[in-house]
Amino acid sequence: MLIRHPHDIPPSDITDPAHYAARRKFIQTLLLAGGAGALGMAHGNPLDSVPGASLGKLQSSPLSLTDEKATPLKSVTGYGNFYEFGPDKESPAKHAHRLRTRPWSITVDGEVKTAKTFAIEDILKWAPLEERIYRMRCVEGWSAVIPWAGFPFSELLKRVEPTGNAKFVEFWTLSDPEQMPFTRIPFLDWPYMEAIRLDEALHPLTILAVGMYGETMPKQNGAPIRLVVPWKYGFKGAKSIVRIRFVEKQPETTWTKAGPEEYGFYSNVNPDVPHRRWSQSHERRLGEFFKRKTLPFNGYAEQVASLYAGMDLRKHF
Ligand code: MTE
């Protein structure tokens, strides 16, 4: 993002999907062998607390892609942005093990009748988890196809009542210098916060994800819970959410504050609107060599274009 130019994906990222199948098997074997205590899973549901544990059977979703192969897990966990753990693409994989994902709760406040705090264990019971295979694209030009596990954001609306003033939703993420050493350095305005319009949040494609590739969320990808909005650039997908706030006015977000000319509030994937420093016309899938054309709204135009009817998307980029 602002911090670093994109570079080519190292060949080490090209990994056989057999790798994650083998890892899942390894974790399951550990659980069966009674190794849960050693992994810090002594209490309650072991699936709650350890990234990389099997989520069991997930509901399939008609909103999943069916025509594209998932990107190898190792590429998705080994290369990404989570600036609280450092500025390099490899920093999250190296340092996110410091993140403590239990106890964890999300406070929902702002323009709601009653503010509430939900423990992650309860959130996990809100709805059967669905697998959502989505195309994802980063503003820096890399992309991936990821089988997320999660539930629609709209499930939250069954538990809280926004007031008539609620027009936007803010997603605030953990900022703890003890666990996240880079939050001691104010190169971004911590805590990391992203926001979308309420109707975007309620679109059926928008999910709160608690896992990927059939397993609980890896820490570097935003454990225990993150936002996924597949038609927007990746930075909208706030990781490790601790607070959801409903507000009336379009807020400033971490990235609009960091560079308003480079990061618009909407950030819909748009190959025709170049980023100040990078074209957005093409992208490279993690683990692949050749670039491919970027699709408007990341290929989800049919489902989401109507949300922006009448808006000039060059102005509202
Ligand atoms: N969430 C937090 N809390 N901190 C971050 O630095 N980076 C964003 C987004 N969510 C970020 C974050 C950016 S820039 C991108 S591209 C995606 O996470 C990357 O997600 P991934 O590593 O799962 O691909």
Side-chain angles (χ1 to χ4, degrees):
M1 310 274 299
L2 205 62
I3 292 117
R4 206 173 160 193
H5 285 261
H7 54 242
D8 287 343
I9 315 304
S12 57
D13 280 342
I14 306 166
T15 309
D16 193 72
H19 174 87
Y20 63 79
R23 194 162 66 98
R24 191 186 303 177
K25 181 106 192 56
F26 171 67
I27 302 236
Q28 280 164 349
T29 311
L30 275 182
L31 288 172
L32 286 173
L39 289 173
M41 303 185 298
H43 313 289
N45 181 354
L47 304 186
D48 281 349
S49 51
V50 172
S54 171
L55 286 168
K57 183 135 178 55
L58 301 171
Q59 302 226 328
S60 58
S61 165
L63 296 170
S64 275
L65 297 179
T66 51
D67 54 348
E68 291 201 59
K69 222 172 90 215
T71 301
L73 172 70
K74 190 168 175 248
S75 304
V76 173
T77 54
Y79 187 95
N81 291 322
F82 200 162
Y83 290 109
E84 290 86 333
F85 293 106
D88 295 324
K89 300 288 170 263
E90 295 77 22
S91 304
K94 272 193 214 140
H95 303 301
H97 63 88
R98 302 173 71 137
L99 178 65
R100 289 191 300 271
T101 57
R102 294 294 185 282
W104 195 277
S105 60
I106 297 184
T107 296
V108 183
D109 63 355
E111 289 292 346
V112 284
K113 295 251 161 75
T114 315
K116 287 185 183 165
T117 297
F118 301 96
I120 188 73
E121 289 79 4
D122 295 329
I123 294 172
L124 286 167
K125 291 181 206 138
W126 281 358
L129 293 181
E130 291 175 31
E131 180 157 86
R132 295 285 189 96
I133 305 171
Y134 283 165
R135 223 178 274 117
M136 306 298 296
R137 191 200 192 279
C138 175
V139 74
E140 291 165 303
W142 41 278
S143 63
V145 173
I146 303 181
W148 299 105
F151 53 85
F153 173 84
S154 56
E155 284 294 329
L156 176 65
L157 271 275
K158 297 181 184 164
R159 279 106 192 154
V160 295
E161 220 185 316
T163 70
N165 293 333
K167 301 281 182 316
F168 295 86
V169 191
E170 298 175 346
F171 297 86
W172 293 81
T173 71
L174 183 70
S175 176
D176 177 2
E178 227 184 86
Q179 301 173 60
M180 303 167 139
F182 280 80
T183 59
R184 295 202 180 111
I185 309 168
F187 63 95
L188 286 176
D189 186 34
W190 311 114
Y192 190 102
M193 187 274 268
E194 264 308 338
I196 54 180
R197 254 177 17 202
L198 181 59
D199 60 339
E200 296 177 316
L202 293 177
H203 189 281
L205 283 170
T206 304
I207 58 169
L208 289 168
V210 296
M212 48 161 63
Y213 297 82
E215 299 176 350
T216 46
M217 192 68 82
K219 292 186 177 182
Q220 60 266 44
N221 295 95
I225 185 162
R226 67 171 288 174
L227 181 67
V228 174
V229 193
W231 70 93
K232 291 183 182 272
Y233 292 118
F235 63 88
K236 282 279 163 183
K239 294 175 171 180
S240 306
I241 296 166
V242 292
R243 180 183 183 201
I244 295 177
R245 188 157 79 119
F246 291 82
V247 295
E248 184 172 7
K249 300 220 163 64
Q250 180 179 311
E252 291 289 332
T253 67
T254 295
W255 286 108
T256 62
K257 281 185 200 163
E261 307 83 18
E262 306 206 358
Y263 307 107
F265 177 82
Y266 279 90
S267 304
N268 290 322
V269 174
N270 189 344
D272 298 331
V273 177
H275 180 271
R276 232 190 191 190
R277 288 175 282 142
W278 315 304
S279 159
Q280 297 297 343
S281 69
H282 286 75
E283 66 198 57
R284 193 201 304 274
R285 280 283 146 82
L286 292 178
E288 289 181 9
F289 182 74
F290 292 108
K291 289 191 173 177
R292 57 176 78 208
K293 270 190 151 178
T294 287
L295 301 169
F297 296 106
N298 209 23
Y300 295 96
E302 211 180 294
Q303 291 107 306
V304 303
S306 61
L307 291 173
Y308 311 101
M311 282 177 73
D312 177 353
L313 295 181
R314 287 188 165 270
K315 194 165 147 230
H316 299 282
F317 63 92

